Amino acid sequence: MTSSKSYSLLELSKLLETTLIGDGNAIVDNLKTIQDANDSSLSFVANQKYSKYLSSSKALAFIVHPNTIDGIDEGNYLVTDDPYLAFAKASSLFSSNLIKQNIGSVHPTATVFPETNLGKNVVIGPNVYIGPNCSIGDFSSIRANSSLVSDVQVGSNTHVHNGAVLGSDGFGYAPSKDGYIKIEQLGSLIIGSDVEIGAGCTIDRGALGDTHINDGVKLDNQVHIAHNVELGSHSAIAACCAIAGSTVIGKNFKMGGLSGVLGHLNIADNVTVGAHTLITKSIKESGEYIGIMPAQKPKDWAKSSIFIKRRK
Amino acid sequence: MTSSKSYSLLELSKLLETTLIGDGNAIVDNLKTIQDANDSSLSFVANQKYSKYLSSSKALAFIVHPNTIDGIDEGNYLVTDDPYLAFAKASSLFSSNLIKQNIGSVHPTATVFPETNLGKNVVIGPNVYIGPNCSIGDFSSIRANSSLVSDVQVGSNTHVHNGAVLGSDGFGYAPSKDGYIKIEQLGSLIIGSDVEIGAGCTIDRGALGDTHINDGVKLDNQVHIAHNVELGSHSAIAACCAIAGSTVIGKNFKMGGLSGVLGHLNIADNVTVGAHTLITKSIKESGEYIGIMPAQKPKDWAKSSIFIKRRK
Amino acid sequence: MTSSKSYSLLELSKLLETTLIGDGNAIVDNLKTIQDANDSSLSFVANQKYSKYLSSSKALAFIVHPNTIDGIDEGNYLVTDDPYLAFAKASSLFSSNLIKQNIGSVHPTATVFPETNLGKNVVIGPNVYIGPNCSIGDFSSIRANSSLVSDVQVGSNTHVHNGAVLGSDGFGYAPSKDGYIKIEQLGSLIIGSDVEIGAGCTIDRGALGDTHINDGVKLDNQVHIAHNVELGSHSAIAACCAIAGSTVIGKNFKMGGLSGVLGHLNIADNVTVGAHTLITKSIKESGEYIGIMPAQKPKDWAKSSIFIKRRK
């Protein structure tokens, strides 16, 4: 989104809680990578491997760590021990955040159950459906084409991106001689505050108890979370992952894309799972877990595959 | 969903076809797990490992197998050889099923082609789109924000959950010197009765012939089924699976989450595939198949990975 | 979709740029597989293994390679060196393409930002949401229940299928002592011409720079593409794949279903990745890559699994 906002470096140094080196009256009007910057850009070096571009970049000013400019005696800098965090805060200053512009509005094309408990300053987007027994906390948003099916509590400052389905029926059936008999899902989905639910995610409400997505959780797009899962606070899950029913996951869980956790497991705090990995057992010890089959040329893969299958 | 329904144990014993032991006049008004139950709860023991909670549970009554209460001479019980099935039936009695409340309605925000053949007592939810050449059987529902693109026949008692896309174009292109040339998809998608399609699923209609989802199939959320697949009756597929084009799958197929079946294969009846597993060849023999790469600590995984790749 | 269109073989031979053998006045009114054909069908043999059905097929005419009818001296044929391509072109002739019927229309239930740059002959379907700073090229379509969140440029002759979400927020957060701080996504999503985006796909706009989906790309359903990816022209990606942030992929990339590519990688032109495979490193050499864990019976898989884990 092209921003029309501009700031002096003096203003920015205060807003971003950084130390200014250089011209406080200089005006920046956009935020760019060090390679794409123009002569009115603010840029940043969060990873030392990009510091080599400092001298050739066109940016007017840079957010940097003190070490990055050690021995450099010209240019404009906003200096901080955590340049990436200062960059994140700067991104908000240059964003024309549509949600903030529409605060407090329910789009006329949304279908919202009359008893829904809508907090202050919520945004309900176009074509959203909100069913019975739902509540939305202050400053939260439900974006276009999402559904809150039934019995969903959303905390404050939580954002549900487009096309997500929350509070859907969990996948539960009892086998019988007449085929599967559906287990009606009587529980709720309880989502904390400061949560983001990516586009196209699906999170089922509980079967008898509840599904819990705790404070500060961030879900990328197309993540699926089954009924009665508890996902610990400040967890971050990449795209296209799935967590099966009744699994309880601790705080600060991280998972790469296309990965999964089987049902009815317990996962400790501070566990990190690689991409394209399946967790099949409970994990008591924090740390990293990975189970990627290495990709090879077809001939080599065929040999590895036969070798793996022969181990009997 | 909190239910306001209440039943005497005598009523329940008849409705659930169970044998009553205890006070037939006692009234239960909710269904809970054995650990979460309160003093007006009906609960159940379907798995013997939970029977240890029987004595400490606050529930007023329990659905149990006769063996579970062997030697116990107090309390209220609904006794049956299949407690899980009786629990499933009980869940329906305590559900305030919104679909049943809206039976026979097309939501005013839905866009339905005028020639659509709508059966009796169907429910078409908010923002649903139903395109040309579709029919919906009796007592079926299409939930909010779903699309039936074109040429979709839905049987009776079938439920399509939110955000699903049925009858979409199959993925078919002919390579040419000018890039891929689209193969227009001229077939249909035919879905049987007593089927559930989870939230966010996508099922393509056929290219020339038809895609078939047979009676009693249950799909969890975010499952993808490609054009010209035939999925046998009473199959159950967990979240985030994909079945590629023209594969024919027998009855009672089961598949764990994040798994797939390649295209143009034949899979026998009564095959069960583990989670995060890919089936690359036709299967003639019923039974279980699994292909999960074990998850390990990074150091151990790296060694395994190098070892696998050295087999040449 | 049942077509009411009919063509003489003479007409077809011209439209499909094929050589007619047989009765140019014969009329076909449908396109079917060689096994399902009826006596007014056009059919085709694109794969020699189906030529055995030629003599028993009821079709009135066949699209064939010259070799297929070598020595056959009766029947009606449209002869070409590329029967599959001629079949693809024929599919278009028999399609009652709804999009073509609705050309130039914005459905009244769509919510489109007033400044949106709509090209000529675009189709915007029911319940579509188009946010700020978007443009749609000539003859492109956005199908029902899709969202273009913000800053999305769509080329011409490009089709976005149902329930897709384009231009969503990329997954970017800076860790802080107060939890994750969101990095506002300031870039765009730029989609070329002759692109198809499958049902339920999600493609994020760029964080600072842009996400690029180049000309002629075809995405199957439920594909996820993260922020700042560049996907080379004429790439084709099967269902349920994910490409992580900032990865740059060359031309003619192909990927089977349920596969992924990690972030910040460079992938050469003409790379093909198998199904259910994760690419973890940059690829400089064109060709095929595959990393599927073989599926086995549980007993054999358990042995392989233990064997893999013992390599330390």
Side-chain angles (χ1 to χ4, degrees):
Chain A
M1 201 179 297
T2 310
S3 164
S4 56
K5 300 184 177 181
S6 60
Y7 302 90
S8 74
L9 295 184
L10 184 61
E11 278 179 288
L12 281 178
S13 71
K14 291 174 185 171
L15 288 166
L16 303 177
E17 298 175 83
T18 56
T19 301
L20 172 65
I21 295 180
D23 178 5
N25 293 321
I27 304 289
V28 292
D29 62 10
N30 69 80
L31 179 64
K32 294 278 186 191
T33 65
I34 196 163
Q35 292 151 291
D36 290 345
N38 59 43
D39 61 10
S40 62
S41 295
L42 174 65
S43 191
F44 68 103
V45 179
N47 182 326
Q48 286 310 313
K49 77 175 184 182
Y50 289 96
S51 62
K52 65 184 175 192
Y53 297 109
L54 253 188
S55 57
S56 61
S57 174
K58 294 178 182 161
L60 185 61
F62 302 89
I63 301 169
V64 292
H65 188 275
N67 294 347
T68 302
I69 54 168
D70 195 31
I72 296 178
D73 56 7
E74 59 180 358
N76 301 311
Y77 302 99
L78 299 170
V79 183
T80 169
D81 284 345
D82 193 341
Y84 196 61
L85 180 58
F87 154 63
K89 290 175 180 173
S91 73
S92 177
L93 298 176
F94 288 98
S95 166
S96 305
N97 193 308
L98 186 67
I99 295 303
K100 288 180 188 164
Q101 292 174 29
N102 284 283
I103 228 160
S105 70
V106 177
H107 197 273
T109 61
T111 300
V112 180
F113 255 57
E115 299 83 358
T116 303
N117 188 348
L118 292 180
K120 292 177 190 168
N121 299 310
V122 304
V123 179
I124 308 296
N127 311 318
V128 165
Y129 168 68
I130 300 183
N133 302 316
C134 292
S135 65
I136 315 288
D138 298 351
F139 292 96
S140 290
S141 65
I142 313 294
R143 314 286 172 101
N145 292 319
S146 290
S147 300
L148 274 62
V149 178
S150 176
D151 301 271
V152 181
Q153 297 174 28
V154 174
S156 57
N157 292 304
T158 283
H159 302 285
V160 177
H161 291 271
N162 305 63
V165 181
L166 306 184
S168 35
D169 284 13
F171 195 63
Y173 302 90
S176 82
K177 61 178 170 38
D178 304 317
Y180 292 107
I181 304 298
K182 184 177 178 75
I183 298 167
E184 294 292 336
Q185 304 290 297
L186 306 176
S188 297
L189 165 60
I190 299 173
I191 297 177
S193 295
D194 301 310
V195 171
E196 295 222 14
I197 308 292
C201 286
T202 55
I203 311 180
D204 293 338
R205 68 184 189 278
L208 293 178
D210 301 324
T211 305
H212 289 269
I213 307 295
N214 290 328
D215 290 350
V217 164
K218 311 297 181 188
L219 303 183
D220 198 354
N221 297 344
Q222 297 194 47
V223 170
H224 168 70
I225 297 184
H227 52 183
N228 298 94
V229 165
E230 174 158 355
L231 181 55
S233 57
H234 303 290
S235 293
I237 297 182
C240 303
C241 288
I243 300 175
S246 300
T247 280
V248 176
I249 295 179
K251 296 177 185 177
N252 302 319
F253 180 72
K254 291 181 189 140
M255 187 153 66
L258 295 162
S259 291
V261 184
L262 290 187
H264 296 274
L265 303 183
N266 280 277
I267 307 295
D269 291 348
N270 301 306
V271 165
T272 295
V273 174
H276 213 265
T277 291
L278 184 71
I279 300 300
T280 59
K281 297 175 183 169
S282 290
I283 295 179
K284 293 182 180 173
E285 194 183 343
S286 71
E288 287 183 63
Y289 296 84
I290 185 169
I292 300 165
M293 177 75 178
Q296 300 177 85
K297 297 283 181 104
K299 193 179 65 177
D300 297 332
W301 171 79
K303 287 176 183 165
S304 293
S305 180
I306 289 165
F307 178 68
I308 287 170
K309 291 172 75 169
R310 279 213 182 122
R311 296 299 95 196
K312 296 184 184 179
Chain B
M1 202 178 299
T2 310
S3 165
S4 56
K5 300 185 177 182
S6 60
Y7 303 90
S8 73
L9 296 183
L10 185 61
E11 278 180 289
L12 282 176
S13 71
K14 291 174 186 171
L15 289 165
L16 302 177
E17 298 176 84
T18 56
T19 303
L20 172 65
I21 295 180
D23 179 5
N25 294 321
I27 305 288
V28 292
D29 63 9
N30 70 79
L31 179 64
K32 294 278 186 190
T33 65
I34 196 163
Q35 292 152 289
D36 290 344
N38 59 43
D39 61 9
S40 62
S41 295
L42 175 65
S43 189
F44 68 103
V45 178
N47 182 325
Q48 286 309 313
K49 78 175 183 181
Y50 288 96
S51 62
K52 63 183 176 193
Y53 297 110
L54 251 190
S55 57
S56 61
S57 174
K58 293 178 182 161
L60 185 61
F62 303 89
I63 301 167
V64 293
H65 188 275
N67 294 348
T68 301
I69 52 167
D70 195 30
I72 296 178
D73 56 8
E74 57 179 1
N76 301 311
Y77 303 99
L78 300 171
V79 183
T80 168
D81 285 345
D82 193 341
Y84 196 60
L85 180 57
F87 154 64
K89 290 175 180 172
S91 73
S92 177
L93 298 176
F94 288 98
S95 166
S96 306
N97 193 307
L98 187 68
I99 296 304
K100 288 180 188 164
Q101 292 174 28
N102 285 283
I103 229 159
S105 70
V106 176
H107 197 273
T109 61
T111 300
V112 181
F113 255 57
E115 300 82 0
T116 303
N117 188 350
L118 293 180
K120 292 177 189 169
N121 299 309
V122 303
V123 179
I124 308 296
N127 310 319
V128 165
Y129 168 68
I130 301 183
N133 304 314
C134 293
S135 65
I136 316 288
D138 298 351
F139 293 96
S140 290
S141 65
I142 314 294
R143 313 286 172 101
N145 292 320
S146 291
S147 300
L148 274 63
V149 178
S150 175
D151 301 271
V152 180
Q153 297 174 29
V154 174
S156 58
N157 293 303
T158 284
H159 302 284
V160 177
H161 290 271
N162 304 62
V165 181
L166 306 184
S168 35
D169 284 14
F171 195 63
Y173 302 90
S176 83
K177 62 177 169 37
D178 304 317
Y180 292 108
I181 304 298
K182 185 175 178 75
I183 297 167
E184 295 292 336
Q185 304 290 297
L186 306 175
S188 297
L189 165 60
I190 299 173
I191 297 175
S193 295
D194 301 310
V195 170
E196 294 222 15
I197 308 291
C201 286
T202 56
I203 311 180
D204 293 338
R205 68 186 189 278
L208 292 177
D210 301 324
T211 305
H212 290 269
I213 307 296
N214 290 328
D215 290 350
V217 164
K218 311 296 180 189
L219 302 183
D220 198 354
N221 298 343
Q222 297 194 46
V223 170
H224 169 69
I225 297 184
H227 52 182
N228 298 94
V229 165
E230 175 159 355
L231 181 55
S233 58
H234 304 290
S235 293
I237 296 182
C240 302
C241 287
I243 300 176
S246 300
T247 280
V248 177
I249 295 178
K251 296 177 185 177
N252 304 318
F253 180 71
K254 289 180 189 140
M255 187 153 66
L258 294 160
S259 291
V261 184
L262 290 187
H264 297 275
L265 303 184
N266 280 277
I267 308 295
D269 291 348
N270 301 307
V271 165
T272 295
V273 173
H276 213 263
T277 290
L278 184 71
I279 300 299
T280 59
K281 297 176 183 169
S282 289
I283 296 178
K284 293 183 179 172
E285 193 183 342
S286 71
E288 288 182 62
Y289 296 84
I290 186 169
I292 299 166
M293 176 74 178
Q296 300 177 83
K297 296 282 181 107
K299 192 179 65 175
D300 296 333
W301 172 79
K303 286 176 183 167
S304 293
S305 179
I306 289 166
F307 180 68
I308 287 170
K309 291 172 74 169
R310 280 218 181 119
R311 296 299 95 194
K312 296 182 185 179
Chain C
M1 201 179 298
T2 311
S3 167
S4 57
K5 301 184 175 181
S6 60
Y7 303 90
S8 74
L9 295 184
L10 186 60
E11 278 179 288
L12 282 178
S13 71
K14 291 175 185 170
L15 289 166
L16 303 177
E17 299 177 84
T18 56
T19 303
L20 172 65
I21 295 181
D23 179 6
N25 294 321
I27 305 289
V28 291
D29 62 10
N30 69 79
L31 179 64
K32 294 277 186 190
T33 65
I34 196 163
Q35 292 151 291
D36 290 343
N38 59 42
D39 62 9
S40 63
S41 295
L42 174 65
S43 190
F44 68 103
V45 179
N47 181 326
Q48 285 310 312
K49 77 176 183 180
Y50 289 96
S51 62
K52 64 184 175 191
Y53 298 109
L54 253 189
S55 57
S56 60
S57 174
K58 293 177 182 162
L60 185 62
F62 303 88
I63 301 168
V64 293
H65 188 275
N67 293 348
T68 302
I69 53 169
D70 194 32
I72 296 178
D73 57 6
E74 57 180 0
N76 302 310
Y77 303 98
L78 300 170
V79 183
T80 170
D81 284 344
D82 193 342
Y84 196 61
L85 180 58
F87 154 64
K89 292 175 179 171
S91 73
S92 177
L93 299 176
F94 287 98
S95 166
S96 306
N97 193 309
L98 186 67
I99 296 303
K100 288 180 187 163
Q101 292 174 29
N102 284 283
I103 228 158
S105 71
V106 176
H107 197 273
T109 61
T111 299
V112 180
F113 255 58
E115 300 82 0
T116 303
N117 187 349
L118 292 180
K120 292 177 190 168
N121 299 310
V122 303
V123 179
I124 309 296
N127 311 319
V128 165
Y129 168 69
I130 301 184
N133 302 315
C134 292
S135 64
I136 316 287
D138 298 351
F139 292 97
S140 290
S141 65
I142 314 294
R143 314 285 171 101
N145 293 319
S146 290
S147 300
L148 274 62
V149 178
S150 177
D151 301 272
V152 181
Q153 298 174 29
V154 174
S156 58
N157 293 303
T158 284
H159 302 285
V160 177
H161 291 270
N162 304 63
V165 180
L166 305 184
S168 35
D169 284 13
F171 195 62
Y173 301 91
S176 83
K177 62 178 168 41
D178 304 317
Y180 292 107
I181 304 297
K182 184 176 177 76
I183 298 167
E184 294 292 335
Q185 305 289 297
L186 306 176
S188 297
L189 165 60
I190 300 172
I191 298 176
S193 294
D194 301 311
V195 171
E196 294 222 15
I197 309 291
C201 286
T202 55
I203 311 181
D204 293 337
R205 68 185 188 278
L208 293 178
D210 301 324
T211 305
H212 290 269
I213 307 296
N214 290 328
D215 290 350
V217 163
K218 312 296 182 188
L219 303 183
D220 198 353
N221 297 344
Q222 297 193 45
V223 170
H224 168 69
I225 297 184
H227 51 183
N228 297 95
V229 165
E230 175 159 356
L231 181 55
S233 58
H234 304 290
S235 293
I237 295 182
C240 303
C241 287
I243 299 176
S246 300
T247 280
V248 176
I249 295 179
K251 296 177 185 175
N252 303 318
F253 180 71
K254 291 182 188 139
M255 187 153 66
L258 295 161
S259 291
V261 183
L262 290 187
H264 297 274
L265 303 184
N266 279 278
I267 307 295
D269 291 347
N270 302 306
V271 165
T272 295
V273 173
H276 212 264
T277 290
L278 184 72
I279 299 300
T280 59
K281 297 175 182 170
S282 289
I283 295 178
K284 293 183 179 173
E285 194 183 342
S286 70
E288 287 183 63
Y289 296 84
I290 185 169
I292 299 165
M293 176 76 178
Q296 300 178 83
K297 297 283 181 106
K299 193 179 64 175
D300 297 332
W301 172 78
K303 287 176 184 167
S304 293
S305 180
I306 289 165
F307 179 69
I308 287 170
K309 290 171 75 170
R310 280 216 181 121
R311 295 300 94 196
K312 296 181 183 179

